[in-house]
Amino acid sequence: MEAAKVPRQRGEQLLDAAVRYAEERHWDVCPGTWLEAVEGAERCSCGDTGCAAPGAHPAGPDWAGRATGSGAAARRMWSRHPKASILLPTGRAFDAIDVPESAGFLALARMERMGLPLGPVTRSPDRRMFFLVLPGAAAKSDELVRKLGWRAAAIDLVGRGEGHYVTGPPTRVGGRGAVQWARHPTPANRWLPDAEELISPLAYACAREAADARTRHRQSTLS
């Protein structure tokens, strides 16, 4: 499932998106770092030439305290830094369940067949997917997965709660591409599901992908 190519982001798109998240979804938003042109190349505003997430991470340790749920405040923030990435703090309006993209698409297909309620879902250029769920998911995701017979760390399923964030579309991560919505925010998914409603198909898909990865690794070492 390859998404259409995303055009280079413009400052106006970021500002409009940040204001929309605050006003329409009542999500807190925080401006992060941004990409700057340096000697013909794009680099992160943090100044680290080896930045792991260029233009798409917090700009300082106080980032969470700077987050706002006010559309007017968001407009002022992005007017000052039009290219700033959009950070959506978790542990407030929502938590996120972070899974590999391949497992995420597998789980999405299964959830749709089952008729499960879905909230918005983001897809990052580093091939991760983030399922937005009610706050509290991060604290209980490990235990929920353990009850299903797996270890969350072993199947690469991570709960993101207080102190973490989801990077909001259309933030671009260096030259890798832009964060996209795999499931857009709509009036129909304003009410988020609880982690318990999604954890089984997500854990199953992650476990299946982890097992396939181990099989591929064994085959490559034998060939």
Side-chain angles (χ1 to χ4, degrees), residues 97-146:
I97 301 177
D98 170 4
V99 301
E101 181 186 84
S102 53
F105 276 126
L106 180 66
L108 271 178
R110 189 176 183 206
M111 290 173 188
E112 288 172 348
R113 289 195 302 270
M114 297 169 67
L116 293 178
L118 277 169
V121 182
T122 68
R123 176 191 185 197
S124 70
D126 57 354
R127 305 186 72 82
R128 304 291 299 185
M129 288 176 72
F130 299 82
F131 289 72
L132 305 194
V133 293
L134 289 174
K140 59 188 177 184
S141 58
D142 285 3
E143 177 64 14
L144 290 171
V145 172
R146 188 190 65 78

Side-chain angles (χ1 to χ4, degrees), residues 90-208:
T90 48
R92 300 184 184 186
F94 58 81
D95 277 8
I97 301 177
D98 170 4
V99 301
E101 181 186 84
S102 53
F105 276 126
L106 180 66
L108 271 178
R110 189 176 183 206
M111 290 173 188
E112 288 172 348
R113 289 195 302 270
M114 297 169 67
L116 293 178
L118 277 169
V121 182
T122 68
R123 176 191 185 197
S124 70
D126 57 354
R127 305 186 72 82
R128 304 291 299 185
M129 288 176 72
F130 299 82
F131 289 72
L132 305 194
V133 293
L134 289 174
K140 59 188 177 184
S141 58
D142 285 3
E143 177 64 14
L144 290 171
V145 172
R146 188 190 65 78
K147 288 180 178 178
L148 294 169
W150 295 293
R151 286 191 308 108
I155 61 174
D156 201 8
L157 182 151
V158 183
R160 303 287 181 191
E162 187 174 356
H164 294 274
Y165 61 90
V166 171
T167 307
T171 297
R172 192 158 55 88
V173 186
R176 302 173 208 164
V179 180
Q180 304 174 29
W181 288 111
R183 286 294 179 276
H184 285 266
T186 68
N189 62 25
R190 180 174 296 278
W191 304 107
L192 299 176
D194 196 285
E196 282 94 335
E197 298 176 89
L198 307 186
I199 203 71
S200 179
L202 283 171
Y204 169 81
C206 288
R208 177 172 161 179

